[in-house]
Amino acid sequence: MIEHKIGKMPMHLFCNGMAAVQLADIEREDEKNRNIIELIGEHSVDGLERLSRVVQILARQGELMRRREGYEKNEFPDAEWIVLNAKPLDILRLREAAIKAIIEGYTSETSNEDEEDPYLDEYQKKTESH
């Protein structure tokens, strides 16, 4: 999870499965078939609007994860709030934080492949007997 602030509003950017699906939806909107990193890196009004949508998605998932872990509730930033409150330097840092969160989501190890999974073992036994 990547932490970032705009002004006094803390955001915790987290790329989980739900965020990945929503980011893929944004990618499908692009006529040039660019990936999400290219789309949020574009230095234009459209790029800023996409960046703010991506940050909103990642921040929402991060906040939901924090709440699940028992932390105090923070507000969910929305894309419009991000566009209105982000200064030029914030935009650069937000882009970097969003990219880091996305990469972290796709590259983090969630389990050790050497460990046995009892649920997988049970599933395999059931499917083998059919």
Side-chain angles (χ1 to χ4, degrees):
M1 193 172 316
I2 305 297
E3 186 173 348
H4 186 76
K5 281 186 178 183
I6 294 181
K8 293 184 180 186
M9 178 178 248
M11 292 182 279
H12 297 83
L13 309 182
F14 184 62
C15 185
N16 59 6
M18 177 60 81
V21 169
Q22 291 174 316
L23 297 180
D25 288 344
I26 293 172
E27 287 177 332
R28 279 191 285 282
E29 294 170 4
D30 183 54
E31 295 172 357
K32 298 177 184 174
N33 294 321
R34 293 174 289 178
N35 68 45
I36 199 68
I37 305 298
E38 292 173 300
L39 291 170
I40 65 174
E42 185 178 296
H43 190 67
S44 66
V45 172
D46 288 341
L48 176 58
E49 289 173 350
R50 278 191 294 266
L51 174 63
S52 64
R53 287 174 55 203
V54 166
V55 169
Q56 176 184 344
I57 290 166
L58 297 172
R60 180 173 182 78
Q61 296 307 311
E63 178 58 24
L64 290 172
M65 180 59 76
R66 286 182 73 256
R67 290 178 185 186
R68 176 90 180 183
E69 293 174 349
Y71 289 97
E72 188 175 315
K73 292 181 180 182
N74 289 329
E75 291 183 43
F76 293 118
D78 68 1
E80 184 178 341
W81 184 91
I82 293 167
V83 168
L84 290 173
N85 287 281
K87 296 177 182 175
L89 186 56
D90 289 324
I91 293 166
L92 295 174
R93 290 181 178 159
L94 271 177
R95 186 175 292 122
E96 181 181 347
I99 291 169
K100 283 182 181 178
I102 293 165
I103 291 170
E104 185 179 279
Y106 277 93
T107 59
S108 63
E109 298 283 330
T110 56
S111 66
N112 186 346
E113 292 180 15
D114 295 334
E115 292 180 17
E116 291 185 26
D117 183 345
Y119 300 106
L120 179 59
D121 291 342
E122 185 177 324
Y123 174 76
Q124 287 175 336
K125 287 177 187 174
K126 287 180 182 180
T127 57
E128 288 172 1
S129 65
H130 288 241

